Amino acid sequence: MYSEFDLEALLHVEQSFYDAGYQDGFAHGRIHGLIEGRALGREKGFEIWEELGFYEGFALTWRALLVKQGKEDEYVYIFSQRPSQHIRYLLNSISQIPRINPSDTSAHSEEASEELDIPKLLWQIRSRYKVLCSSLGVRPRLLPAESLEDQGQKEDAQMVDATIGQDSPPSQVDPQRVAPGSSIPVWKLDNAGVRKPVTNHDLNF
Amino acid sequence: MDSLWDENADNSSVTDVEWSRISDEYTNSGYRDGITAGKEASSQEGFDAGYATVGVPLGHQLGLLRGVSSVLLSFLKDSSDPSPSPSPQSQRQALLVEAQDIASQLARVRFSDIVPRDLEAEQHAREHLEKEDGADENEETARRREMEGIEDMLANLGASGKAKDTSGRPTVDDVHALRDRLAVLAERLGLSLGIDLKAIALPHG
């Protein structure tokens, strides 16, 4: 009877130790998740919007040039009708890209459809930019400078992109089943850590 | 429950050892699982925050400046274009040199040059360093903390090393100066872009 009671108490004690540890760990892990996610989100947002901002600045400046020339030269004005239209299309497409990551919509189906739209819109914007370039007779910018300068950033981007379409990626790390001592680099603040397990989870963009 | 342990007064030292073994074992196990779960639960939130508050505005603004400067440059290069107000060749040449300089300096700017510091991440890394010499930790915890400290320290070294390397790197203030020069250039060409270039302000750390 004595030992039975002892055992029961022990089980309870184990569970409460585990729970207390879990709570502390969760709070700590949350800080690291926020930090690493933030670093990744900053890079990804920068990368996409540097490109879009370039197109926007490009379109706005050409519009201003065409307007200015059009006022002075009627022939140029007529000639510039086509580029003007492409500029309008391009600016319109850019304005449709959300400036927040739509992943935090609660409705899952809505989220998925919105996600699919963005790569399509980006594709549309790029092709509209190229069409505009050819109508103006200028050479398009080949790649955003970042992608050329910093390959590491590009890798990250691909990693995030890879999660598109995985609506519910199977949770790879079941908290209950992680072997003690498994070395998941949850503490890393550097890029190498960022690329590891968190990105597999669902940093869906 | 309390009485159970009181009755064992004879074996108190054994009980204490056992107690602390169980406590450590289960607390650590819970902590490990918790940190993984906490990290996974929050990384998307961090991503979205970094994306919307830093990445998108930063990229958008730099992209805009680059887009505007690239068009002005190619416009000024194209000498066959009748200049808006027939200006002397030398004046036009000066504008071209200015546009070239702005565009090439903007092209040099990298994400890492202008991204604001993540103060929360730095603060947390410091906390890890401070905790490093904690008193009553068991061997495993101590080892883990040591690793965390080293990793954080490496990350810091990397950051400060980068700061040394980047002594010649552009800063946010440099970008703002380029922005002002670009605005002046656009003004001198008599262009109204539809956006206020001078209102562009990169988020400071």
Side-chain angles (χ1 to χ4, degrees), chain A residues 2 18 28 30 32 38 42 50 56 101 103 187 198 202 204-205, chain B residues 8 30-31 33 39 42-44 47-48 51 60 66 116 118 124 148:
Chain A
Y2 183 80
Y18 180 90
H28 189 188
R30 184 175 152 76
H32 280 270
R38 202 156 53 222
R42 286 172 162 209
E50 192 276 341
E56 190 182 341
N101 189 18
S103 81
W187 300 282
V198 201
D202 74 357
N204 33 30
F205 172 76
Chain B
N8 269 330
Y31 193 85
D33 294 350
K39 195 172 165 183
S42 66
S43 50
Q44 182 72 60
F47 182 94
D48 293 347
Y51 185 88
H60 184 215
R66 284 175 170 168
D118 189 339
H124 192 69
E148 290 174 18

PDB file of all heavy atoms in Angstrom, chain A residues 2 18 28 30 32 38 42 50 56 101 103 187 198 202 204-205, chain B residues 8 30-31 33 39 42-44 47-48 51 60 66 116 118 124 148:
ATOM      1  N   TYR A   2       1.903   1.195   0.816  1.00  0.00           N
ATOM      2  CA  TYR A   2       2.806   2.326   0.907  1.00  0.00           C
ATOM      3  C   TYR A   2       3.497   2.586  -0.435  1.00  0.00           C
ATOM      4  O   TYR A   2       3.510   3.686  -0.953  1.00  0.00           O
ATOM      5  CB  TYR A   2       3.843   2.041   2.003  1.00  0.00           C
ATOM      6  CG  TYR A   2       4.771   3.210   2.212  1.00  0.00           C
ATOM      7  CD1 TYR A   2       4.382   4.295   2.967  1.00  0.00           C
ATOM      8  CD2 TYR A   2       6.037   3.203   1.621  1.00  0.00           C
ATOM      9  CE1 TYR A   2       5.231   5.370   3.132  1.00  0.00           C
ATOM     10  CE2 TYR A   2       6.877   4.269   1.790  1.00  0.00           C
ATOM     11  CZ  TYR A   2       6.472   5.353   2.557  1.00  0.00           C
ATOM     12  OH  TYR A   2       7.306   6.398   2.702  1.00  0.00           O
ATOM     13  N   TYR A  18       7.822  17.742 -15.842  1.00  0.00           N
ATOM     14  CA  TYR A  18       7.853  17.832 -17.306  1.00  0.00           C
ATOM     15  C   TYR A  18       7.069  19.066 -17.776  1.00  0.00           C
ATOM     16  O   TYR A  18       7.526  19.842 -18.602  1.00  0.00           O
ATOM     17  CB  TYR A  18       7.256  16.559 -17.927  1.00  0.00           C
ATOM     18  CG  TYR A  18       7.253  16.579 -19.440  1.00  0.00           C
ATOM     19  CD1 TYR A  18       8.332  16.082 -20.167  1.00  0.00           C
ATOM     20  CD2 TYR A  18       6.177  17.109 -20.140  1.00  0.00           C
ATOM     21  CE1 TYR A  18       8.345  16.113 -21.538  1.00  0.00           C
ATOM     22  CE2 TYR A  18       6.180  17.154 -21.534  1.00  0.00           C
ATOM     23  CZ  TYR A  18       7.265  16.651 -22.221  1.00  0.00           C
ATOM     24  OH  TYR A  18       7.274  16.693 -23.598  1.00  0.00           O
ATOM     25  N   HIS A  28      10.693  30.089 -24.032  1.00  0.00           N
ATOM     26  CA  HIS A  28      12.012  30.376 -24.590  1.00  0.00           C
ATOM     27  C   HIS A  28      12.036  30.110 -26.104  1.00  0.00           C
ATOM     28  O   HIS A  28      12.531  30.904 -26.886  1.00  0.00           O
ATOM     29  CB  HIS A  28      13.056  29.516 -23.869  1.00  0.00           C
ATOM     30  CG  HIS A  28      14.461  29.896 -24.215  1.00  0.00           C
ATOM     31  ND1 HIS A  28      15.544  29.164 -23.810  1.00  0.00           N
ATOM     32  CD2 HIS A  28      14.941  30.917 -24.948  1.00  0.00           C
ATOM     33  CE1 HIS A  28      16.644  29.734 -24.271  1.00  0.00           C
ATOM     34  NE2 HIS A  28      16.307  30.796 -24.968  1.00  0.00           N
ATOM     35  N   ARG A  30       9.589  30.208 -28.065  1.00  0.00           N
ATOM     36  CA  ARG A  30       8.779  31.222 -28.733  1.00  0.00           C
ATOM     37  C   ARG A  30       9.641  32.449 -29.077  1.00  0.00           C
ATOM     38  O   ARG A  30       9.559  32.999 -30.177  1.00  0.00           O
ATOM     39  CB  ARG A  30       7.616  31.622 -27.836  1.00  0.00           C
ATOM     40  CG  ARG A  30       6.686  32.598 -28.496  1.00  0.00           C
ATOM     41  CD  ARG A  30       5.461  32.904 -27.668  1.00  0.00           C
ATOM     42  NE  ARG A  30       4.994  34.222 -27.988  1.00  0.00           N
ATOM     43  CZ  ARG A  30       4.328  34.526 -29.105  1.00  0.00           C
ATOM     44  NH1 ARG A  30       4.024  33.571 -29.958  1.00  0.00           N
ATOM     45  NH2 ARG A  30       3.981  35.756 -29.371  1.00  0.00           N
ATOM     46  N   HIS A  32      12.800  32.489 -29.612  1.00  0.00           N
ATOM     47  CA  HIS A  32      13.697  32.161 -30.720  1.00  0.00           C
ATOM     48  C   HIS A  32      12.947  32.031 -32.038  1.00  0.00           C
ATOM     49  O   HIS A  32      13.453  32.433 -33.082  1.00  0.00           O
ATOM     50  CB  HIS A  32      14.460  30.874 -30.414  1.00  0.00           C
ATOM     51  CG  HIS A  32      15.618  31.112 -29.497  1.00  0.00           C
ATOM     52  ND1 HIS A  32      16.862  31.419 -29.967  1.00  0.00           N
ATOM     53  CD2 HIS A  32      15.690  31.138 -28.146  1.00  0.00           C
ATOM     54  CE1 HIS A  32      17.673  31.605 -28.935  1.00  0.00           C
ATOM     55  NE2 HIS A  32      16.983  31.433 -27.819  1.00  0.00           N
ATOM     56  N   ARG A  38      11.396  36.396 -37.829  1.00  0.00           N
ATOM     57  CA  ARG A  38      11.485  37.809 -38.170  1.00  0.00           C
ATOM     58  C   ARG A  38      12.633  38.050 -39.158  1.00  0.00           C
ATOM     59  O   ARG A  38      12.476  38.758 -40.152  1.00  0.00           O
ATOM     60  CB  ARG A  38      11.704  38.613 -36.893  1.00  0.00           C
ATOM     61  CG  ARG A  38      11.316  40.046 -36.992  1.00  0.00           C
ATOM     62  CD  ARG A  38      10.997  40.615 -35.629  1.00  0.00           C
ATOM     63  NE  ARG A  38      12.051  40.392 -34.670  1.00  0.00           N
ATOM     64  CZ  ARG A  38      11.845  40.032 -33.409  1.00  0.00           C
ATOM     65  NH1 ARG A  38      10.615  39.844 -32.969  1.00  0.00           N
ATOM     66  NH2 ARG A  38      12.842  39.864 -32.583  1.00  0.00           N
ATOM     67  N   ARG A  42      12.021  39.482 -42.868  1.00  0.00           N
ATOM     68  CA  ARG A  42      12.640  40.728 -43.317  1.00  0.00           C
ATOM     69  C   ARG A  42      13.326  40.530 -44.653  1.00  0.00           C
ATOM     70  O   ARG A  42      13.169  41.336 -45.577  1.00  0.00           O
ATOM     71  CB  ARG A  42      13.697  41.173 -42.297  1.00  0.00           C
ATOM     72  CG  ARG A  42      13.115  41.733 -41.027  1.00  0.00           C
ATOM     73  CD  ARG A  42      14.215  41.957 -39.999  1.00  0.00           C
ATOM     74  NE  ARG A  42      13.778  42.853 -38.946  1.00  0.00           N
ATOM     75  CZ  ARG A  42      14.601  43.646 -38.256  1.00  0.00           C
ATOM     76  NH1 ARG A  42      15.883  43.620 -38.497  1.00  0.00           N
ATOM     77  NH2 ARG A  42      14.136  44.451 -37.334  1.00  0.00           N
ATOM     78  N   GLU A  50      11.851  44.918 -53.153  1.00  0.00           N
ATOM     79  CA  GLU A  50      12.877  45.686 -53.860  1.00  0.00           C
ATOM     80  C   GLU A  50      12.592  45.590 -55.356  1.00  0.00           C
ATOM     81  O   GLU A  50      12.660  46.570 -56.086  1.00  0.00           O
ATOM     82  CB  GLU A  50      14.271  45.137 -53.536  1.00  0.00           C
ATOM     83  CG  GLU A  50      15.412  46.046 -53.982  1.00  0.00           C
ATOM     84  CD  GLU A  50      15.786  45.854 -55.430  1.00  0.00           C
ATOM     85  OE1 GLU A  50      15.434  44.806 -56.011  1.00  0.00           O
ATOM     86  OE2 GLU A  50      16.410  46.757 -55.995  1.00  0.00           O
ATOM     87  N   GLU A  56       7.958  49.846 -59.939  1.00  0.00           N
ATOM     88  CA  GLU A  56       7.078  50.981 -59.687  1.00  0.00           C
ATOM     89  C   GLU A  56       7.803  52.293 -60.003  1.00  0.00           C
ATOM     90  O   GLU A  56       7.262  53.164 -60.694  1.00  0.00           O
ATOM     91  CB  GLU A  56       6.611  50.961 -58.221  1.00  0.00           C
ATOM     92  CG  GLU A  56       5.507  51.966 -57.941  1.00  0.00           C
ATOM     93  CD  GLU A  56       5.086  51.954 -56.476  1.00  0.00           C
ATOM     94  OE1 GLU A  56       5.362  50.957 -55.771  1.00  0.00           O
ATOM     95  OE2 GLU A  56       4.497  52.958 -56.045  1.00  0.00           O
ATOM     96  N   ASN A 101       2.191  39.555 -45.251  1.00  0.00           N
ATOM     97  CA  ASN A 101       2.150  38.162 -45.644  1.00  0.00           C
ATOM     98  C   ASN A 101       0.766  37.610 -45.313  1.00  0.00           C
ATOM     99  O   ASN A 101       0.348  37.650 -44.164  1.00  0.00           O
ATOM    100  CB  ASN A 101       3.221  37.390 -44.878  1.00  0.00           C
ATOM    101  CG  ASN A 101       3.371  35.989 -45.399  1.00  0.00           C
ATOM    102  OD1 ASN A 101       2.936  35.691 -46.506  1.00  0.00           O
ATOM    103  ND2 ASN A 101       3.961  35.145 -44.604  1.00  0.00           N
ATOM    104  N   SER A 103      -0.411  34.916 -44.724  1.00  0.00           N
ATOM    105  CA  SER A 103      -0.496  33.621 -44.055  1.00  0.00           C
ATOM    106  C   SER A 103      -1.345  33.666 -42.792  1.00  0.00           C
ATOM    107  O   SER A 103      -1.835  32.656 -42.326  1.00  0.00           O
ATOM    108  CB  SER A 103       0.896  33.144 -43.664  1.00  0.00           C
ATOM    109  OG  SER A 103       1.288  33.785 -42.471  1.00  0.00           O
ATOM    110  N   TRP A 187      18.590  27.167 -30.833  1.00  0.00           N
ATOM    111  CA  TRP A 187      19.141  28.387 -30.224  1.00  0.00           C
ATOM    112  C   TRP A 187      19.846  29.286 -31.209  1.00  0.00           C
ATOM    113  O   TRP A 187      20.256  30.352 -30.883  1.00  0.00           O
ATOM    114  CB  TRP A 187      20.116  27.995 -29.104  1.00  0.00           C
ATOM    115  CG  TRP A 187      19.438  27.207 -28.067  1.00  0.00           C
ATOM    116  CD1 TRP A 187      18.629  27.698 -27.105  1.00  0.00           C
ATOM    117  CD2 TRP A 187      19.472  25.803 -27.910  1.00  0.00           C
ATOM    118  NE1 TRP A 187      18.139  26.672 -26.353  1.00  0.00           N
ATOM    119  CE2 TRP A 187      18.641  25.491 -26.815  1.00  0.00           C
ATOM    120  CE3 TRP A 187      20.111  24.776 -28.576  1.00  0.00           C
ATOM    121  CZ2 TRP A 187      18.446  24.189 -26.374  1.00  0.00           C
ATOM    122  CZ3 TRP A 187      19.923  23.485 -28.149  1.00  0.00           C
ATOM    123  CH2 TRP A 187      19.090  23.208 -27.065  1.00  0.00           C
ATOM    124  N   VAL A 198      12.944  25.257 -38.836  1.00  0.00           N
ATOM    125  CA  VAL A 198      11.807  26.172 -38.827  1.00  0.00           C
ATOM    126  C   VAL A 198      11.223  26.341 -40.218  1.00  0.00           C
ATOM    127  O   VAL A 198      10.015  26.383 -40.398  1.00  0.00           O
ATOM    128  CB  VAL A 198      12.232  27.568 -38.337  1.00  0.00           C
ATOM    129  CG1 VAL A 198      11.024  28.317 -37.846  1.00  0.00           C
ATOM    130  CG2 VAL A 198      13.282  27.449 -37.269  1.00  0.00           C
ATOM    131  N   ASP A 202       6.018  25.821 -41.505  1.00  0.00           N
ATOM    132  CA  ASP A 202       5.253  26.442 -42.566  1.00  0.00           C
ATOM    133  C   ASP A 202       5.400  27.958 -42.599  1.00  0.00           C
ATOM    134  O   ASP A 202       4.512  28.681 -42.244  1.00  0.00           O
ATOM    135  CB  ASP A 202       3.804  25.967 -42.600  1.00  0.00           C
ATOM    136  CG  ASP A 202       2.929  26.518 -41.508  1.00  0.00           C
ATOM    137  OD1 ASP A 202       3.409  27.239 -40.644  1.00  0.00           O
ATOM    138  OD2 ASP A 202       1.766  26.284 -41.536  1.00  0.00           O
ATOM    139  N   ASN A 204       4.856  29.792 -44.814  1.00  0.00           N
ATOM    140  CA  ASN A 204       4.323  29.855 -46.159  1.00  0.00           C
ATOM    141  C   ASN A 204       4.242  31.287 -46.600  1.00  0.00           C
ATOM    142  O   ASN A 204       3.867  32.160 -45.872  1.00  0.00           O
ATOM    143  CB  ASN A 204       2.948  29.205 -46.223  1.00  0.00           C
ATOM    144  CG  ASN A 204       2.206  29.405 -44.956  1.00  0.00           C
ATOM    145  OD1 ASN A 204       2.413  30.410 -44.285  1.00  0.00           O
ATOM    146  ND2 ASN A 204       1.366  28.482 -44.597  1.00  0.00           N
ATOM    147  N   PHE A 205       4.643  31.461 -47.790  1.00  0.00           N
ATOM    148  CA  PHE A 205       4.472  32.793 -48.325  1.00  0.00           C
ATOM    149  C   PHE A 205       3.514  32.691 -49.484  1.00  0.00           C
ATOM    150  O   PHE A 205       3.694  31.940 -50.380  1.00  0.00           O
ATOM    151  CB  PHE A 205       5.798  33.375 -48.813  1.00  0.00           C
ATOM    152  CG  PHE A 205       5.542  34.639 -49.523  1.00  0.00           C
ATOM    153  CD1 PHE A 205       5.246  35.771 -48.783  1.00  0.00           C
ATOM    154  CD2 PHE A 205       5.468  34.707 -50.886  1.00  0.00           C
ATOM    155  CE1 PHE A 205       4.942  36.945 -49.413  1.00  0.00           C
ATOM    156  CE2 PHE A 205       5.163  35.885 -51.509  1.00  0.00           C
ATOM    157  CZ  PHE A 205       4.899  37.005 -50.769  1.00  0.00           C
TER     158      PHE A 205
ATOM    159  N   ASN B   8       9.374   9.981   5.708  1.00  0.00           N
ATOM    160  CA  ASN B   8      10.611   9.394   5.218  1.00  0.00           C
ATOM    161  C   ASN B   8      11.848  10.109   5.722  1.00  0.00           C
ATOM    162  O   ASN B   8      12.885  10.074   5.076  1.00  0.00           O
ATOM    163  CB  ASN B   8      10.625   9.433   3.689  1.00  0.00           C
ATOM    164  CG  ASN B   8      10.032   8.176   3.110  1.00  0.00           C
ATOM    165  OD1 ASN B   8      10.130   7.121   3.738  1.00  0.00           O
ATOM    166  ND2 ASN B   8       9.409   8.296   1.966  1.00  0.00           N
ATOM    167  N   GLY B  30      11.069  18.167 -20.525  1.00  0.00           N
ATOM    168  CA  GLY B  30       9.961  19.054 -20.874  1.00  0.00           C
ATOM    169  C   GLY B  30      10.451  20.327 -21.535  1.00  0.00           C
ATOM    170  O   GLY B  30       9.855  20.814 -22.494  1.00  0.00           O
ATOM    171  N   TYR B  31      11.561  20.823 -21.019  1.00  0.00           N
ATOM    172  CA  TYR B  31      12.115  22.069 -21.558  1.00  0.00           C
ATOM    173  C   TYR B  31      12.490  21.901 -23.028  1.00  0.00           C
ATOM    174  O   TYR B  31      12.171  22.727 -23.870  1.00  0.00           O
ATOM    175  CB  TYR B  31      13.353  22.459 -20.742  1.00  0.00           C
ATOM    176  CG  TYR B  31      13.825  23.868 -20.983  1.00  0.00           C
ATOM    177  CD1 TYR B  31      13.272  24.928 -20.280  1.00  0.00           C
ATOM    178  CD2 TYR B  31      14.816  24.132 -21.912  1.00  0.00           C
ATOM    179  CE1 TYR B  31      13.692  26.226 -20.493  1.00  0.00           C
ATOM    180  CE2 TYR B  31      15.241  25.428 -22.142  1.00  0.00           C
ATOM    181  CZ  TYR B  31      14.688  26.465 -21.430  1.00  0.00           C
ATOM    182  OH  TYR B  31      15.102  27.746 -21.647  1.00  0.00           O
ATOM    183  N   ASP B  33      11.364  19.674 -25.198  1.00  0.00           N
ATOM    184  CA  ASP B  33      10.179  19.551 -26.050  1.00  0.00           C
ATOM    185  C   ASP B  33       9.468  20.885 -26.178  1.00  0.00           C
ATOM    186  O   ASP B  33       8.968  21.240 -27.244  1.00  0.00           O
ATOM    187  CB  ASP B  33       9.219  18.501 -25.475  1.00  0.00           C
ATOM    188  CG  ASP B  33       9.836  17.109 -25.528  1.00  0.00           C
ATOM    189  OD1 ASP B  33      10.894  16.969 -26.164  1.00  0.00           O
ATOM    190  OD2 ASP B  33       9.264  16.181 -24.927  1.00  0.00           O
ATOM    191  N   LYS B  39       9.053  27.252 -30.557  1.00  0.00           N
ATOM    192  CA  LYS B  39       9.692  27.828 -31.722  1.00  0.00           C
ATOM    193  C   LYS B  39       8.834  27.628 -32.966  1.00  0.00           C
ATOM    194  O   LYS B  39       8.638  28.550 -33.764  1.00  0.00           O
ATOM    195  CB  LYS B  39      11.050  27.153 -31.905  1.00  0.00           C
ATOM    196  CG  LYS B  39      11.958  27.891 -32.838  1.00  0.00           C
ATOM    197  CD  LYS B  39      13.314  27.257 -32.799  1.00  0.00           C
ATOM    198  CE  LYS B  39      14.127  27.720 -33.981  1.00  0.00           C
ATOM    199  NZ  LYS B  39      15.423  27.089 -34.034  1.00  0.00           N
ATOM    200  N   SER B  42       5.753  29.871 -33.123  1.00  0.00           N
ATOM    201  CA  SER B  42       5.871  31.328 -33.251  1.00  0.00           C
ATOM    202  C   SER B  42       6.633  31.796 -34.477  1.00  0.00           C
ATOM    203  O   SER B  42       6.634  32.983 -34.773  1.00  0.00           O
ATOM    204  CB  SER B  42       6.557  31.894 -32.017  1.00  0.00           C
ATOM    205  OG  SER B  42       7.886  31.443 -31.976  1.00  0.00           O
ATOM    206  N   SER B  43       7.277  30.871 -35.203  1.00  0.00           N
ATOM    207  CA  SER B  43       8.142  31.365 -36.284  1.00  0.00           C
ATOM    208  C   SER B  43       7.336  32.029 -37.405  1.00  0.00           C
ATOM    209  O   SER B  43       7.798  32.996 -38.001  1.00  0.00           O
ATOM    210  CB  SER B  43       9.025  30.249 -36.827  1.00  0.00           C
ATOM    211  OG  SER B  43       8.262  29.127 -37.130  1.00  0.00           O
ATOM    212  N   GLN B  44       6.146  31.516 -37.648  1.00  0.00           N
ATOM    213  CA  GLN B  44       5.325  32.150 -38.691  1.00  0.00           C
ATOM    214  C   GLN B  44       4.939  33.575 -38.279  1.00  0.00           C
ATOM    215  O   GLN B  44       4.960  34.499 -39.097  1.00  0.00           O
ATOM    216  CB  GLN B  44       4.063  31.325 -38.955  1.00  0.00           C
ATOM    217  CG  GLN B  44       3.181  31.888 -40.059  1.00  0.00           C
ATOM    218  CD  GLN B  44       3.793  31.714 -41.445  1.00  0.00           C
ATOM    219  OE1 GLN B  44       4.049  30.600 -41.880  1.00  0.00           O
ATOM    220  NE2 GLN B  44       4.056  32.817 -42.137  1.00  0.00           N
ATOM    221  N   PHE B  47       7.862  35.692 -38.806  1.00  0.00           N
ATOM    222  CA  PHE B  47       8.053  35.914 -40.246  1.00  0.00           C
ATOM    223  C   PHE B  47       7.130  37.021 -40.741  1.00  0.00           C
ATOM    224  O   PHE B  47       7.571  37.965 -41.410  1.00  0.00           O
ATOM    225  CB  PHE B  47       7.772  34.611 -41.005  1.00  0.00           C
ATOM    226  CG  PHE B  47       7.995  34.707 -42.491  1.00  0.00           C
ATOM    227  CD1 PHE B  47       9.202  34.350 -43.057  1.00  0.00           C
ATOM    228  CD2 PHE B  47       6.986  35.157 -43.324  1.00  0.00           C
ATOM    229  CE1 PHE B  47       9.410  34.436 -44.425  1.00  0.00           C
ATOM    230  CE2 PHE B  47       7.176  35.255 -44.693  1.00  0.00           C
ATOM    231  CZ  PHE B  47       8.396  34.889 -45.243  1.00  0.00           C
ATOM    232  N   ASP B  48       5.862  36.906 -40.407  1.00  0.00           N
ATOM    233  CA  ASP B  48       4.885  37.883 -40.883  1.00  0.00           C
ATOM    234  C   ASP B  48       5.205  39.286 -40.375  1.00  0.00           C
ATOM    235  O   ASP B  48       5.070  40.269 -41.107  1.00  0.00           O
ATOM    236  CB  ASP B  48       3.473  37.480 -40.442  1.00  0.00           C
ATOM    237  CG  ASP B  48       3.020  36.199 -41.129  1.00  0.00           C
ATOM    238  OD1 ASP B  48       3.676  35.790 -42.103  1.00  0.00           O
ATOM    239  OD2 ASP B  48       2.027  35.606 -40.682  1.00  0.00           O
ATOM    240  N   TYR B  51       8.288  40.573 -42.165  1.00  0.00           N
ATOM    241  CA  TYR B  51       7.921  40.815 -43.562  1.00  0.00           C
ATOM    242  C   TYR B  51       7.236  42.167 -43.707  1.00  0.00           C
ATOM    243  O   TYR B  51       7.629  43.006 -44.509  1.00  0.00           O
ATOM    244  CB  TYR B  51       6.990  39.693 -44.018  1.00  0.00           C
ATOM    245  CG  TYR B  51       6.619  39.721 -45.477  1.00  0.00           C
ATOM    246  CD1 TYR B  51       7.417  39.092 -46.423  1.00  0.00           C
ATOM    247  CD2 TYR B  51       5.465  40.355 -45.904  1.00  0.00           C
ATOM    248  CE1 TYR B  51       7.081  39.103 -47.752  1.00  0.00           C
ATOM    249  CE2 TYR B  51       5.117  40.387 -47.250  1.00  0.00           C
ATOM    250  CZ  TYR B  51       5.927  39.750 -48.169  1.00  0.00           C
ATOM    251  OH  TYR B  51       5.589  39.770 -49.496  1.00  0.00           O
ATOM    252  N   HIS B  60      10.773  48.105 -50.702  1.00  0.00           N
ATOM    253  CA  HIS B  60       9.964  48.951 -51.581  1.00  0.00           C
ATOM    254  C   HIS B  60      10.643  50.301 -51.806  1.00  0.00           C
ATOM    255  O   HIS B  60      10.758  50.778 -52.936  1.00  0.00           O
ATOM    256  CB  HIS B  60       8.585  49.142 -50.954  1.00  0.00           C
ATOM    257  CG  HIS B  60       7.626  49.907 -51.813  1.00  0.00           C
ATOM    258  ND1 HIS B  60       6.695  50.758 -51.297  1.00  0.00           N
ATOM    259  CD2 HIS B  60       7.482  49.964 -53.164  1.00  0.00           C
ATOM    260  CE1 HIS B  60       6.005  51.304 -52.297  1.00  0.00           C
ATOM    261  NE2 HIS B  60       6.456  50.837 -53.429  1.00  0.00           N
ATOM    262  N   ARG B  66      15.888  52.983 -56.849  1.00  0.00           N
ATOM    263  CA  ARG B  66      16.663  52.374 -57.928  1.00  0.00           C
ATOM    264  C   ARG B  66      15.937  52.464 -59.265  1.00  0.00           C
ATOM    265  O   ARG B  66      16.557  52.699 -60.309  1.00  0.00           O
ATOM    266  CB  ARG B  66      16.945  50.910 -57.601  1.00  0.00           C
ATOM    267  CG  ARG B  66      18.032  50.743 -56.571  1.00  0.00           C
ATOM    268  CD  ARG B  66      18.176  49.286 -56.207  1.00  0.00           C
ATOM    269  NE  ARG B  66      19.359  49.066 -55.392  1.00  0.00           N
ATOM    270  CZ  ARG B  66      19.615  47.942 -54.750  1.00  0.00           C
ATOM    271  NH1 ARG B  66      18.759  46.930 -54.836  1.00  0.00           N
ATOM    272  NH2 ARG B  66      20.703  47.804 -54.034  1.00  0.00           N
ATOM    273  N   PRO B 116      17.420  47.424 -40.146  1.00  0.00           N
ATOM    274  CA  PRO B 116      17.572  47.879 -38.764  1.00  0.00           C
ATOM    275  C   PRO B 116      18.005  46.733 -37.861  1.00  0.00           C
ATOM    276  O   PRO B 116      17.763  45.564 -38.169  1.00  0.00           O
ATOM    277  CB  PRO B 116      16.172  48.358 -38.377  1.00  0.00           C
ATOM    278  CG  PRO B 116      15.309  48.200 -39.553  1.00  0.00           C
ATOM    279  CD  PRO B 116      16.034  47.460 -40.606  1.00  0.00           C
ATOM    280  N   ASP B 118      17.926  44.132 -34.938  1.00  0.00           N
ATOM    281  CA  ASP B 118      16.856  43.458 -34.207  1.00  0.00           C
ATOM    282  C   ASP B 118      17.233  43.491 -32.728  1.00  0.00           C
ATOM    283  O   ASP B 118      17.934  42.626 -32.226  1.00  0.00           O
ATOM    284  CB  ASP B 118      16.702  42.016 -34.700  1.00  0.00           C
ATOM    285  CG  ASP B 118      15.469  41.347 -34.120  1.00  0.00           C
ATOM    286  OD1 ASP B 118      14.982  41.820 -33.066  1.00  0.00           O
ATOM    287  OD2 ASP B 118      14.992  40.365 -34.712  1.00  0.00           O
ATOM    288  N   HIS B 124      18.283  39.193 -26.328  1.00  0.00           N
ATOM    289  CA  HIS B 124      18.152  37.796 -25.941  1.00  0.00           C
ATOM    290  C   HIS B 124      19.504  37.086 -25.993  1.00  0.00           C
ATOM    291  O   HIS B 124      19.814  36.263 -25.132  1.00  0.00           O
ATOM    292  CB  HIS B 124      17.144  37.103 -26.844  1.00  0.00           C
ATOM    293  CG  HIS B 124      16.747  35.752 -26.344  1.00  0.00           C
ATOM    294  ND1 HIS B 124      15.991  35.579 -25.212  1.00  0.00           N
ATOM    295  CD2 HIS B 124      17.035  34.515 -26.799  1.00  0.00           C
ATOM    296  CE1 HIS B 124      15.827  34.284 -24.997  1.00  0.00           C
ATOM    297  NE2 HIS B 124      16.444  33.604 -25.942  1.00  0.00           N
ATOM    298  N   GLU B 148      24.893  27.304 -26.253  1.00  0.00           N
ATOM    299  CA  GLU B 148      24.083  28.468 -26.624  1.00  0.00           C
ATOM    300  C   GLU B 148      24.934  29.723 -26.578  1.00  0.00           C
ATOM    301  O   GLU B 148      24.897  30.556 -27.482  1.00  0.00           O
ATOM    302  CB  GLU B 148      22.912  28.645 -25.649  1.00  0.00           C
ATOM    303  CG  GLU B 148      21.841  27.601 -25.768  1.00  0.00           C
ATOM    304  CD  GLU B 148      20.795  27.760 -24.679  1.00  0.00           C
ATOM    305  OE1 GLU B 148      20.734  28.842 -24.072  1.00  0.00           O
ATOM    306  OE2 GLU B 148      20.068  26.794 -24.439  1.00  0.00           O
TER     307      GLU B 148
END
